[in-house]
Amino acid sequence: MATPAYAKSSELDAVNSILMSVGESPVNTLNTQSPEVAIAQKTLQQVTREVLAEGWVFNTENEVKFTVDANDQVPLSDAVLQVDANRFFHLDTYNVIRKDGKLYDRYEHKNTFPDEGTMYLDVVWMYAFEDIPQSFRDYITARAIRKAALRMVSDLEINKALEQDEVVARSAAIEYDTRQADYNVFNDNRFKQSYNSFRPHQALRR
């Protein structure tokens, strides 16, 4: 059975959906000087980043190995939206964030890790639009349509109608995430933040 061409959407498809929602004609390429196309594309990119930054099963990985370099630092690419030290490997030794493009420990107030050769991190990744599951492409497109329409048309009635489409699309995305993640009511020590029982050596820690 042949797969229809519209089985999955592209960034161009999403931009054209935004354009048509505000009464503009679709385009054949994103390489155009049209200000409407630029607004639509920038809005789509912004919303893509916002949605992916929430952290979903498809763009979240645990225990990702990052090598500590010769300067005892861990450089982080722009694709890293969120980062945390994996509790299974590092317990509560570090409280890390991204700072100046590198891993930074808020406990010690420094971006060097001389005692580690490898850092095991839980990461939320940024992906290109075409690498996102289709249900999330639909949700991102619906949300971008509403935002772009408000910016380009400023009609609150249209915005209210588009908001319903966004709610439906988000529900489908959450359903996808729930099925893929195989969530359950139990925690495990490896991939969930489970209860930390009493440790005698931490009794006097303040």
Side-chain angles (χ1 to χ4, degrees):
M1 182 175 63
T3 302
Y6 54 85
K8 60 181 182 178
S9 61
S10 65
E11 185 176 352
L12 177 61
D13 295 329
V15 168
N16 280 331
S17 295
I18 295 172
L19 293 173
M20 289 186 288
S21 72
V22 295
E24 297 289 335
S25 299
V27 294
N28 295 322
T29 177
L30 296 176
N31 297 322
T32 177
Q33 300 301 317
S34 168
E36 289 78 16
V37 172
I39 292 173
Q41 187 175 21
K42 287 296 183 181
T43 303
L44 181 68
Q45 292 170 350
Q46 175 192 343
V47 172
T48 301
R49 186 172 59 249
E50 290 174 354
V51 171
L52 265 59
E54 292 184 51
W56 304 87
V57 65
F58 72 89
N59 73 322
T60 301
E61 288 186 287
N62 297 310
E63 301 178 7
V64 181
K65 296 180 180 179
F66 284 76
T67 301
V68 180
D69 65 17
N71 297 318
D72 295 330
Q73 297 178 329
V74 180
L76 300 174
S77 72
D78 291 339
V80 176
L81 294 176
Q82 293 185 34
V83 64
D84 196 10
N86 183 267
R87 286 179 175 269
F88 182 81
F89 281 95
H90 300 296
L91 299 178
D92 196 32
T93 306
Y94 306 106
N95 185 356
V96 299
I97 59 171
R98 178 196 182 98
K99 185 175 181 180
D100 298 327
K102 300 180 179 65
L103 196 66
Y104 180 85
D105 182 20
R106 295 177 65 243
Y107 284 160
E108 298 295 332
H109 310 291
K110 62 181 183 179
N111 62 4
T112 56
F113 302 85
D115 298 328
E116 303 288 348
T118 300
M119 291 294 294
Y120 292 84
L121 306 177
D122 299 335
V123 181
V124 174
W125 297 102
M126 180 69 189
Y127 289 155
F129 188 80
E130 281 75 11
D131 293 330
I132 299 170
Q134 184 59 48
S135 57
F136 280 87
R137 296 188 211 183
D138 293 338
Y139 167 47
I140 289 169
T141 302
R143 183 166 168 177
I145 286 173
R146 181 181 62 80
K147 283 181 173 287
L150 192 60
R151 293 171 179 174
M152 299 167 72
V153 181
S154 299
D155 189 321
L156 294 179
E157 289 300 320
I158 293 178
N159 183 73
K160 189 174 181 180
L162 293 174
E163 196 172 36
Q164 295 302 313
D165 293 337
E166 182 184 339
V167 169
V168 172
R170 183 175 176 86
S171 297
I174 291 175
E175 177 68 18
Y176 172 92
D177 186 74
T178 302
R179 289 182 177 181
Q180 289 291 307
D182 298 325
Y183 294 120
N184 59 72
V185 298
F186 303 103
N187 284 334
D188 62 65
N189 291 329
R190 194 64 180 269
F191 298 113
K192 302 293 183 183
Q193 183 172 337
S194 57
Y195 171 71
N196 290 323
S197 61
F198 170 74
R199 295 187 178 96
H201 70 279
Q202 293 182 345
L204 299 178
R205 185 174 180 176
R206 294 291 187 268

